[in-house]
Structure formats: structure tokens, C-alpha cells
Amino acid sequence: MPLDKQYDPAQFEPAIYKKWEESGAFTPRHADTKPYVIMLPPPNITGTLHIGHALQDTIMDVLIRYHRMLGQPTLWLPGTDSAAIATNRVLEEQLAAEGKTRQQIGREEFLRRADAWYAKTGQEIIQQMKRLGVSCDWSRLRYTLDEAYIQAVNQAFVEFYKRGYLYRGERIVNWDPASQTTVSDLEIDWHTEKAPFYTLQYGPFQIGTARPETKFGDKYVVMHPADARYQQYQHGETFEAEWINGPVTATVIKDESIDPAFGTGAMTITPWHDAADFAIAERHNLDKQQIIGFDGKLLPIAGACAGLTINEARPKIIEQLTKKGLLVAVDENYQHSVALNNRGKGVIEPQVMRQWFVDMSQLKDKALQAAAQESVRFVPTRWKKHFMHWLENVYDWNVNRQIWLGHRLPVWWKPGTHGTEHEEGNFVVSVDPPAGGGEGWEQDPDVLDTWFATALWPFATLGWPRKSAARSRGKPSDLELFYPTSVLVTARDILYLWVARMVFSGLEFMGDVPFREVFIHPTVLAKDGRRMSKSLGTGVDPLGLITTYGADAIRFGLMYQLHYDSQAIKFDEEAIKSGRNFVNKIWNIGRLLESIPKRDTPTIADQWITQRLHATIQQVTQSLEQYRFGEAAHVLYDFVWRDVADWYLEILKVEGSTTVARQVFAALLRLLHPFMPHVTEVLWEKSGRSDLLMTAAWPTAGKVEAATDALAHFQDIVSTTRRARALFDIPPKVVVDLAVTAAPLPQALAALSRARLVPAATA
RNA sequence: GGGUGCAUAGCUCAGUGGUAGAGCGCUUCGUUCACAUCGAAGAGGUCGAAGGUUCGAUCCCUUCUGCACCCACCA
């Protein structure tokens, strides 16, 4: 049956995907050879596929398909993440629209709504991934809130606790009064804002602040020990100062963290509401006083301002200070940074709270060692430096959150003890509620930081902690077979949030790294270099692109733009269009080969294209091994379009071996398959193969010899003739006489030059 | 304050210690039956600036400038 002139992706893609799925080839075949394993970074169930996913998924699918064709047992394990904070916010917004709060409807009803919502949206992103053609093992699909995963998270928490890494501590944390929860350092966005900077008289000192509302409790003034201006004041000496609500006794503290060049070089501290001040207070064992409540309103210590929000209180405080003559100066043009919760968008108010922390001091060393020794290897290598730098400076990790969605802490409290002064000895950390020993144990109301759960992804998805649970009798378990995984493919923005935590969690619980390599791919930006975002209107819908151009086109277009060392891809739809055109070119090469009558008289052109093919196999293979996807795509593009289409096939129309041509084309389909799986599979089938291209063997390069000069000579003659025709404006229909002394491929030469060969005049 | 990446044709970007490359766009020509999602010919670049190493630098080194991003407890 003749093929259409143009390849129509919509006509073939769904059927091809179905065929792949039904073949069972997405599931790894057990074998003795080393498996190749990738864990899909679980996308948030709340989201839809964006172009960054399309890029990342294509990279993983290229790797997976390549390794599958190499004959390795290949596992790409998919899954989704509950993204508790984001979902929590979505649900609260929905409730707000109904004029309700989560507290009003209660925890049970809230979680019921969450389940309903997950059920509705959970499959969406998976369907979208399938349209891209990804070859995940769907039989192993996991979800961070499925029953077994919850068990793994509980087990990890209990184990961390038993091994002494988890502790309950009173520390300064990022509190979001709007969402009523703590937030990770890594999930804060800093926005610069202009705010008045006040210089205030504090006893004999002048101190600066942009946050006068925190100043009520100030009773320490801090300066650098070497600051000559304050030599006469001794560390620890006290003095009386008139302050906002009356006289206070203040103490002088000398601390090296103070920058003498900033302002007056002296400052008062608010340990309860500032991390730096907290550190100073800890060093010198100073008192800490809460000024702002968890609802964001000032506490009774603020006197007349108690109960007011920060914005309401500020002018009053300044008025009071002015009245007392304590306001020395105001800089209206001061720029400072304000911390926002990047999920909930509330303004962060640091607070001292009793929270769960993971002690990083030992865990970080293990991860650092793994990076230093390259038992986890970063690609490109510069990310190793970033990774290590972050770990070297990491703080203990606050792991509980005060929202309702997510993994609830496996911590059980005696009634009425949680959050009181007398917590010690009144809780039990265990997966199951404590049996006996009194009734009414209450489970801790908090849930875990979402990254605590995803840190376990590489092994919890394989069945941990049931280490030896075999899938079938006598066979090794998934955990034994597939851990550690081969490579993690991810974006740089979660290098710390997620990658680092997987590394130390894997080392801790599995005794080995979770992946041998980490490939950090570029970020996809809008064409003009801005971030892709819905609010900027710069986002691109990959599904729309798939509908317009086909999955193969978007895959190839993305890979073609993926250059090894760049941090960003400026997304240009033209590249996708170009991918579509390339796919169509392949399709038409298939058509042409069908139409040329069989003939087996090899020429130097056949010899030449075979050599070029081998060089191409070598280059593409090497590029894939090095994660140089853009390079591989370019090599393929140039080979197909320049060598195969423009020269070899034009010659083949006139003379040469269709047998060689078909061999070259078959090898080409294999090389292209990871990049454009659908069209290559269709052509494979149309060429009469009954097996799947997906599981065909990756081509191996024969001996690569230098390309024959004879063809270069041929190309020279043709090009020269064409240039001459253009120069003299000879219409295509006019056949010219061409006199050459030695004519390689005479028939092809005549055809491509639109010439009649005549004997060269002998001198 | 520290760090990373980038700077090459009008645009988006490859690339190499030795006469500069692609795609798109542009100019001219062409639908002979693989493909107009195509083919042929062509125009277009002191490879960000300044120094240095070298027989020779767009490439290696130093400094600078501009852009983007990351980290950081700027009161």
C-alpha cells in the first residue's frame, strides 16, 4: 500500500503506543546482564505536563530506549507525587471560594476532599506522558501517598529517630502566618522591596532597623569586638536606656559577625524573629523574647500596639519613637529583601518553635564523601561543586509542617502533652500506635516536609523496607535487582531540595548511593529568555504542540536544542517545526526506497554511504554515552539530510544498490528510534519487519575507514556544474554538455548535473 | 559578598590551536513521479573588549564589560 506524501502523526502514534504497551517490552526482562534503571522524578499530581517535563521525559526516554536496544534489562519506574503543600493551597482556595476554612470542615472532611481531588487529577499527567511516547514500566507505577509508600516513610522516620538523627529542638524556623505552617529555607523566594530604614537612639548608641515592630523586646546591643568606636564599652556591661515603652536595662555584646561598616556598626537584636540574631543569642546564651504571634499580630509586650498587624503597628511605633525623641534619621530609599513562601505566597516571619529536625552533621559527611569520590558522578561536572558547597553549609533540616495533607508523623503523644513545656518522655516514635500503656495516645497532628518522603523515592518505590520480598518465588526482589539506579535526570532547581536528600537517605538506609550519575539538564525558558510561567503568559503547552506537530517532532526538536554546557534552552517553536520536517523527511526516504526497483550493483556511492553510516553510528553512540543529546541529534540530522538525502539517494535513483540502501536505512531507523520512536517504528513495520524496532539491537559501527575520495570528486563536479548553470542563468530544462576526463558514476553525474556527458577534448 | 553559565551571520545557536558552520529569515531560480514539511545557487560574520602564551588564538591564560541564573543570617 503506497504511503501518504506526508507523515501524519495522529494516524499512527496512538496505535504504536498501544502496540508497545501490549508487547510487555516496557517491563524489564530479567537477565544476567547489568540492568539500566531510571526513576522518574515524580511529577506533582496537581500539575499538567509543561515543556520542562517534556524535555526531561524525552531525555529519560532516549536513554531508556537506547539501553533497551543495547540489550540490557531496562527499568524506567514512573510515579507521581502528592505535592502536599501545593494541593493544600489549592484546596484551601476552593474552600475560601465557598466561604469556609479547613478548620471549619475538619481534618477528616479535608482529607476526603483531597482524595477525591487526587482521584480526579491523578491520571491526567500520566496520560499526557504517554502521548509523548515514554516507555515507562507502568506496571510498577507508584504514588507517594500509596499505602506501601506511607509505610516506607513511617519506617524511615522511625529509623532516623532510632539512629539518633531526629531530634526535637527549639530553633528558629520560617513561619508562614498566612498558611500557618513552617517552610523550608529552600522554598522561600526573596523579593527586594523599598522600605524606610530608621536610625534610632538606643542609650548611647545609634542603631538601624527596617523592622521597628520587632524592637519592643530589645535588650542587647551588639558590635564587633575590634570596632574602635566602641572600645570604651566592655562585653557584658549594662546600661539604662529609654525605649519605646519605657526604660530598659540593656547589655553590651561583642560578636564578630557584626559588620562594622554597616550603618553605625552597632545593632540591637531580636533573637526570636531573626535567624542571624538567633545565632548570636545562642553563642552568648542570651534571652529570647517572642514579639509577634503566630497569627502575625503583635503580642502584649507591644503595649498599645498589641493585637495589631505589622502594617498597622509600624506608623504607631514610629510616632511613639518620634515623640520620645529617639528617631534620629529615616532613609526612605532603603532596599531590603522580604521572604515569601514560594508555595503559599505568605510573608515569612521567623519564629522560634519546638520542631522536629534531622541532624545533618553526620548525614552530610556521607553525601559529601560520595560526591568527592564520585560514587555519585555529576554531569556536567560543575554541579559537583555546587552540590558539595551546599552540603558543607547545610543546617539541620526542619521536617515537620503544620498542614494536613501529606505523611503524618509516626509520633504518638500522651494526651495534652504535645506542645507543652513537659514534652520529654511523653511521646513514642513508632509506626504503630503504642499498645497498652494507657489509652488515648494522640498522633502528632503535623505532617512531614514533602521532600522527606521523596528523598526515599529511589528505594521506597522498589519495595523498601521489605528488602527480600521477592516478586516471585526464587527470584531476587526489585530492590536487590534495581538498586542503585543508573542515573537521575533532573533540573538544577531541586539539586539541594531533592537530590542531596536522596543521596544521604540512600546511603543511610541502603548503604549505597541511590544513583551512579546525576544528569542536570538545562532549564527551558521562553524564546525571549524569560522564565516560562502562566502568569507571564510565556508558557508553552506541550500537548498542543504534540497535536500540531506530533510527539516525534517535539522530542527531536527539544533534543536538537539541548546543548551540553548551556544552562538554558530558549524555546523556539521553529525548532519543533523543524523537527516535524525532519520526521517527514525520514518518512519520505522510506517512501522512496519502496519505489525504486531492486537492483544490486554497488557503486562507490554505496561504499561511501556505508562508511559514513559507520562514522555516524560511532558518533551517535559516543554522544549518547556522554549525555550529549544535542550533538547526537545534529549528527543524525546532518547525516540524513546532507549525505543520505541530498547525495546518496539522488545517486541511487539512477544507479547503485538498493540492498545497501535498505541496510543503511534499517540502521538509520535504529539510530533514530530513541529520538523519534513512533515514525521509526511505523517505517520498520512497513518495511516488512515483524519484530519491534523498540527491542531491535542498537547498530554497531564497523571499521570506520576514511571516506572515499572518488565521491568527493563526484560532488565537486556536480557542484561546479550547478554553479556554472546558475552563473550563466541556464534554465533547468536545458541539458548542457559536460566534458570530464574521468567520470565517476557517469549516469548519476549526468542526472544531477542535468548534463550530457561528452568526451573530453584531448589536447 | 561568593559562585556558575553565556557573549560567533539579521534571529536562535553549534564548533575547532592552522582558509569560520547549521537552522530559520533574506535574494534568485525550480513543482522531472520521495518530500514545497522540498530542491539548486547565493548574499551575509575584524567569533564582546584589552592584554598575554604561541610560528600561528574565535578556541588556551589574565583582566574588563554586558546578560542570565544560583548561593549567602546586608541589622
Side-chain angles (χ1 to χ4, degrees), chain A residues 189-473:
Chain A
D189 288 335
W190 291 91
H191 287 261
T192 45
E193 244 181 47
K194 206 166 83 170
F197 185 79
Y198 304 99
T199 304
L200 308 175
Q201 192 70 42
Y202 188 74
F205 301 97
Q206 291 188 351
I207 56 122
T209 186
R211 299 204 55 196
E213 69 276 5
T214 63
K215 295 286 134 188
F216 292 101
D218 287 1
K219 54 183 182 179
Y220 301 103
V221 61
V222 193
M223 61 220 67
H224 195 279
D227 194 329
R229 291 168 294 182
Y230 305 117
Q231 284 298 345
Q232 73 266 39
Y233 301 100
Q234 300 305 309
H235 177 81
E237 83 173 70
T238 58
F239 61 92
E240 297 295 314
E242 180 59 25
W243 198 226
I244 310 168
N245 289 332
V248 293
T249 303
T251 307
V252 172
I253 300 295
K254 304 268 182 158
D255 191 282
E256 297 197 341
S257 69
I258 304 301
D259 176 9
F262 189 95
T264 60
M267 67 177 237
T268 58
I269 57 168
T270 313
W272 199 282
H273 298 292
D274 184 284
D277 294 359
F278 181 87
I280 293 169
E282 288 283 282
R283 275 199 287 279
H284 302 285
N285 201 19
L286 309 179
D287 295 339
K288 307 179 191 85
Q289 171 96 50
Q290 186 174 14
I291 314 294
I292 301 162
F294 296 111
D295 57 0
K297 292 178 179 166
L298 290 166
L299 295 171
I301 189 173
C305 291
L308 300 182
T309 65
I310 289 161
N311 286 335
E312 291 163 353
R314 254 184 216 181
K316 297 203 173 199
I317 299 162
I318 295 307
E319 191 189 326
Q320 178 82 347
L321 286 163
T322 310
K323 233 184 266 174
K324 292 197 165 198
L326 297 173
L327 182 65
V328 179
V330 184
D331 175 2
E332 294 286 352
N333 293 314
Y334 182 71
Q335 298 271 348
H336 76 142
S337 299
V338 177
L340 299 180
N341 175 356
N342 71 7
R343 307 277 183 158
K345 296 300 170 199
V347 178
I348 297 298
E349 182 61 62
Q351 295 275 9
V352 177
M353 297 177 76
R354 187 161 278 275
Q355 296 278 296
W356 288 98
F357 291 90
V358 173
D359 180 346
M360 290 302 300
S361 53
Q362 288 174 59
L363 292 172
K364 78 171 177 191
D365 286 342
K366 290 187 186 181
L368 277 167
Q369 202 185 10
Q373 294 175 345
E374 306 208 337
S375 43
V376 173
R377 201 172 71 85
F378 289 87
V379 182
T381 49
R382 65 173 178 278
W383 296 109
K384 171 182 172 179
K385 214 185 310 176
H386 288 98
F387 181 86
M388 293 184 69
H389 181 258
W390 182 78
L391 276 173
E392 279 158 4
N393 296 291
V394 73
Y395 297 107
D396 285 357
W397 176 21
N398 168 215
V399 290
N400 57 318
R401 298 287 179 270
Q402 288 69 38
I403 57 174
W404 283 351
L405 288 184
H407 300 87
R408 204 158 165 185
L409 274 62
V411 176
W412 309 86
W413 295 90
K414 283 185 185 163
T417 56
H418 179 234
T420 66
E421 301 274 311
H422 311 290
E423 292 188 332
E424 202 61 40
N426 285 318
F427 64 87
V428 171
V429 176
S430 79
V431 171
D432 301 309
E439 305 83 50
W441 290 86
E442 293 166 356
Q443 186 168 8
D444 197 295
D446 288 358
V447 299
L448 284 159
D449 180 7
T450 196
W451 300 103
F452 185 96
T454 43
L456 316 175
W457 188 248
F459 46 94
T461 50
L462 292 173
W464 185 89
R466 301 183 325 280
K467 186 164 192 146
S468 60
R471 287 177 62 79
S472 62
R473 190 171 297 257

Side-chain angles (χ1 to χ4, degrees), chain A residues 109-155:
Chain A
E109 167 64 11
F110 190 77
L111 294 181
R112 203 192 52 74
R113 282 183 179 232
D115 284 344
W117 199 70
Y118 284 141
K120 180 170 145 294
T121 57
Q123 284 298 314
E124 279 178 17
I125 200 147
I126 291 166
Q127 292 310 321
Q128 292 171 342
M129 283 183 69
K130 288 184 176 181
R131 285 201 56 195
L132 195 62
V134 299
S135 56
C136 298
D137 182 358
W138 299 110
S139 73
R140 285 179 168 84
L141 180 71
R142 296 299 303 273
Y143 172 44
T144 51
L145 277 180
D146 67 37
E147 203 47 52
Y149 205 96
I150 291 170
Q151 284 307 307
V153 171
N154 284 337
Q155 190 67 40

Side-chain angles (χ1 to χ4, degrees), chain A residues 359-644:
Chain A
D359 180 346
M360 290 302 300
S361 53
Q362 288 174 59
L363 292 172
K364 78 171 177 191
D365 286 342
K366 290 187 186 181
L368 277 167
Q369 202 185 10
Q373 294 175 345
E374 306 208 337
S375 43
V376 173
R377 201 172 71 85
F378 289 87
V379 182
T381 49
R382 65 173 178 278
W383 296 109
K384 171 182 172 179
K385 214 185 310 176
H386 288 98
F387 181 86
M388 293 184 69
H389 181 258
W390 182 78
L391 276 173
E392 279 158 4
N393 296 291
V394 73
Y395 297 107
D396 285 357
W397 176 21
N398 168 215
V399 290
N400 57 318
R401 298 287 179 270
Q402 288 69 38
I403 57 174
W404 283 351
L405 288 184
H407 300 87
R408 204 158 165 185
L409 274 62
V411 176
W412 309 86
W413 295 90
K414 283 185 185 163
T417 56
H418 179 234
T420 66
E421 301 274 311
H422 311 290
E423 292 188 332
E424 202 61 40
N426 285 318
F427 64 87
V428 171
V429 176
S430 79
V431 171
D432 301 309
E439 305 83 50
W441 290 86
E442 293 166 356
Q443 186 168 8
D444 197 295
D446 288 358
V447 299
L448 284 159
D449 180 7
T450 196
W451 300 103
F452 185 96
T454 43
L456 316 175
W457 188 248
F459 46 94
T461 50
L462 292 173
W464 185 89
R466 301 183 325 280
K467 186 164 192 146
S468 60
R471 287 177 62 79
S472 62
R473 190 171 297 257
K475 284 187 176 166
S477 67
D478 273 11
L479 198 60
E480 288 161 325
L481 274 173
F482 300 123
Y483 190 94
T485 67
S486 306
V487 62
L488 175 76
V489 176
T490 189
R492 64 171 184 270
D493 56 351
I494 48 176
L495 184 59
Y496 313 131
L497 276 172
W498 190 43
V499 181
R501 286 163 180 169
M502 280 192 284
V503 171
F504 68 70
S505 300
L507 287 166
E508 184 60 29
F509 294 123
M510 294 297 297
D512 199 353
V513 294
F515 24 74
R516 299 292 182 206
E517 297 190 315
V518 179
F519 176 66
I520 306 282
H521 62 73
T523 308
V524 184
L525 301 177
K527 194 182 176 182
D528 58 9
R530 289 186 297 168
R531 284 200 94 78
M532 284 220 176
S533 89
K534 274 183 202 160
S535 53
L536 289 173
T538 49
V540 175
D541 170 25
L543 293 175
L545 292 173
I546 291 173
T547 304
T548 310
Y549 299 107
D552 292 342
I554 188 170
R555 290 170 63 115
F556 192 83
L558 286 170
M559 289 301 99
Y560 194 81
Q561 293 183 89
L562 180 57
H563 296 295
Y564 184 75
D565 253 329
S566 60
Q567 294 191 146
I569 292 175
K570 285 184 204 157
F571 180 79
D572 188 351
E573 191 169 325
E574 286 300 319
I576 308 305
K577 197 192 268 183
S578 163
R580 190 262 325 254
N581 295 352
F582 186 50
V583 167
N584 194 56
K585 190 78 180 177
I586 308 291
W587 176 255
N588 274 288
I589 290 172
R591 288 182 67 209
L592 177 65
L593 289 178
E594 292 299 307
S595 70
I596 298 178
K598 281 194 179 168
R599 114 171 80 75
D600 197 7
T601 48
T603 66
I604 55 161
D606 295 298
Q607 191 189 334
W608 168 77
I609 202 67
T610 305
Q611 287 164 352
R612 288 288 305 118
L613 172 69
H614 286 160
T616 302
I617 293 169
Q618 206 172 62
Q619 288 175 61
V620 171
T621 305
Q622 191 181 326
S623 298
L624 287 179
E625 291 290 339
Q626 296 175 346
Y627 300 100
R628 294 176 185 270
F629 301 99
E631 193 175 85
H634 277 81
V635 166
L636 284 165
Y637 187 93
D638 291 344
F639 175 64
V640 169
W641 215 301
R642 298 280 83 86
D643 295 341
V644 174

Side-chain angles (χ1 to χ4, degrees), chain A residues 159-186:
Chain A
E159 282 299 315
F160 270 132
Y161 183 74
K162 277 189 191 160
R163 299 178 193 190
Y165 293 119
L166 258 172
Y167 67 93
R168 204 151 158 76
E170 196 147 75
R171 300 269 311 278
I172 193 153
V173 293
N174 304 303
W175 176 256
D176 176 4
S179 302
Q180 288 288 298
T181 183
T182 58
V183 179
S184 154
D185 287 342
L186 296 168

